Amino acid sequence: AESQPAPSLPAASAGNQGAERPGSQGIKGLTGAEAEALASMPLSAVFNKAQGMYNQLSAEDLPLEDKETLNSKALQYLQHAEHLVDKAALFSPNESIEEVKSE
């Protein structure tokens, strides 16, 4: 399978590093309860939930409207995960992607 580059997310700009996002009210596309749950989840749980949504999108034959909704939610979870990574300062500004070890 040919891999495609991941789309860039607007929250990743250097000007946003360290900036606080609003609380759960600022998480678009999610119900109040979903936004509250997301806001209280640790990074690993947020990523795992988004990965599960992606896997569900890839594996199931869903109606287009359901796919769009699930895709939107997965994007919100990934954007929140990105926010948590930025907030935790897991990567220094001078660190390139090639320097990040992965297995």
Side-chain angles (χ1 to χ4, degrees):
E2 187 176 310
S3 65
Q4 297 178 347
S8 62
L9 302 174
S13 69
N16 282 347
Q17 287 185 353
E20 290 294 320
R21 287 190 184 171
S24 59
Q25 309 89 329
I27 303 174
K28 299 175 186 174
L30 301 178
T31 66
E34 289 172 324
E36 289 293 327
L38 177 59
S40 66
M41 292 172 111
L43 174 59
S44 60
V46 173
F47 180 80
N48 288 337
K49 182 80 170 174
Q51 187 176 34
M53 289 179 201
Y54 171 80
N55 291 339
Q56 186 178 357
L57 281 167
S58 300
E60 294 184 21
D61 188 22
L62 299 171
L64 181 59
E65 187 174 318
D66 292 346
K67 281 187 175 188
E68 289 173 347
T69 300
L70 190 57
N71 186 53
S72 177
K73 284 184 181 184
L75 179 60
Q76 293 303 317
Y77 274 74
L78 290 171
Q79 287 174 330
H80 187 66
E82 179 185 30
H83 166 70
L84 293 174
V85 167
D86 287 345
K87 184 177 174 183
L90 294 178
F91 305 103
S92 67
N94 63 347
E95 190 171 28
S96 71
I97 191 68
E98 290 81 23
E99 296 171 322
V100 178
K101 292 185 180 186
S102 63
E103 295 180 7

